[in-house]
Structures are given as C-alpha cells and as structure tokens.
Amino acid sequence: MRYRRAFVPGGSFFFTLVTAGRRPVLQSKQAIETLREAFRRVASKRPFSIDAIVILPDHLHCIWTLPPGDSDFSTRWRLVKTWLSKHHDENRRQGSGCEAWQNRFREHSLRDETDVIRHFEYIHSNPVKHRYVTAPGHWPDSSFHRFVRDGLYPADWEDSGMDLDGVERE
C-alpha cells in the first residue's frame, strides 16, 4: 500500500512523530536540546517556522509552516530525525544501529483557522491527556508558554486545573 502525502506549497501542517518502540528517547533535557539544535540546523538550510510544538518522552506533535512555493516537509523531517539519531548521547552509546524514530510520521494539512486552532489546542493539552501533568502550563517542553506570553491564551490557563476549553477538570 502506498501512502499519499498532502503537498501544499507554503502550507501549514500538523505532524506527529513517534520514537522507535515508543522508547522515552526525548525524556532528558539533553535530548530536548539536541532536538532543538536539529530544528535550528535544518531550518537554517531549509527554512520553516514551528508555530506550535509539544515534546513528550516518546513522541512529539507540532505545526510547521513552510515558505511560499515550498512543500518539502519530508526532507526536513528526514534531516531532523537523522540529526537527533546521530547526535543524541543515548543513541551514540547504543551504537549507530539504534534508531531514535519510527520510520514514518503522520501529517495533516491544515485547512482553515478552525482546523489550526483545534490542532493548537490538541498539541498544548497533550501532556494532560497523557497524564504527565494536570495543566498545560506545567509541561516545560511546549509552545503553550509562548502562547500565554503572547496573549493567545489567557494567563490563568498557565497553572489552572482547567482544560483549554475552560472546563474545570475533576
């Protein structure tokens, strides 16, 4: 079966990437910094913006926007995944045959503002969904904090026991 990707030049895309075997490859601060360096290096040669992101121990979700006329997110992800696999200490200790990532990734081409907002909220609530924290503001490796700082989310969501839709959790 052949997988078909949605190539939209200059588009915005939601991505999910999962570590190989769901190993907690991304749980250390060193792994997070290595991933950030991978993003910086790739973006310096093949520009893209990260509009939202959350990094959990065994997967990440993010939204990228590509430059006008460019739809090649696959090469960018290949380069990011390769950088982390080669430069993350845990992978180096286990030998070059140890891959950090599953081979594939999921992507969704964002259609309109409602779709974008829905995916922003999904990304930022993901650490709560997986029960790592009780509020989105408690998870450090998320663009949620930037959204609050920039006034895109109310400041009281930062540490509240509220879901992003404003409903109090039990």
Side-chain angles (χ1 to χ4, degrees):
M1 183 171 164
R2 294 188 45 85
Y3 184 78
R4 294 181 52 157
R5 297 221 180 262
F7 296 103
V8 179
S12 293
F13 303 89
F14 169 80
F15 298 101
T16 299
L17 281 81
V18 179
T19 62
R22 285 264 184 191
R23 289 183 301 119
V25 172
L26 303 171
Q27 72 182 355
S28 72
K29 290 298 171 193
Q30 189 271 335
I32 301 297
E33 188 49 45
T34 302
L35 180 61
R36 287 181 175 143
E37 182 63 19
F39 286 138
R40 285 189 291 270
R41 294 212 178 223
V42 172
S44 73
K45 301 235 187 301
R46 294 177 175 266
F48 63 94
S49 65
I50 300 175
D51 302 321
I53 190 166
V54 67
I55 304 168
L56 300 171
D58 64 353
H59 71 285
L60 67 82
H61 300 288
C62 63
I63 294 175
W64 284 4
T65 298
L66 299 181
D70 191 342
S71 62
D72 188 9
F73 52 77
S74 292
T75 297
R76 288 169 172 87
W77 275 121
R78 179 179 51 79
L79 295 169
V80 167
K81 290 165 71 172
T82 299
W83 178 269
L84 184 87
S85 293
K86 286 183 176 180
H87 294 90
H88 180 43
D89 284 346
E90 180 182 328
N91 285 353
R92 287 198 312 242
R93 280 194 302 272
Q94 293 179 14
S96 61
C98 180
E99 289 298 320
W101 301 101
Q102 289 183 359
N103 288 334
R104 295 191 183 269
F105 59 87
R106 296 188 187 275
E107 108 282 334
H108 167 74
S109 178
L110 298 173
R111 298 178 301 271
D112 56 30
E113 186 176 348
T114 301
D115 200 20
V116 171
I117 290 168
R118 188 170 56 87
H119 283 86
F120 281 162
E121 291 178 353
Y122 179 83
I123 287 169
H124 295 137
S125 64
N126 209 250
V128 176
K129 173 187 170 189
H130 289 284
R131 300 185 186 276
Y132 287 112
V133 293
T134 58
H138 296 165
W139 190 254
D141 302 310
S142 170
S143 57
F144 178 84
H145 308 284
R146 176 172 41 98
F147 276 54
V148 170
R149 186 183 64 241
D150 292 349
L152 299 172
Y153 289 153
D156 62 350
W157 279 349
E158 185 84 34
D159 292 311
S160 74
M162 304 288 244
D163 285 329
L164 292 174
D165 60 7
V167 176
E168 191 162 345
R169 291 189 302 276
E170 297 177 11

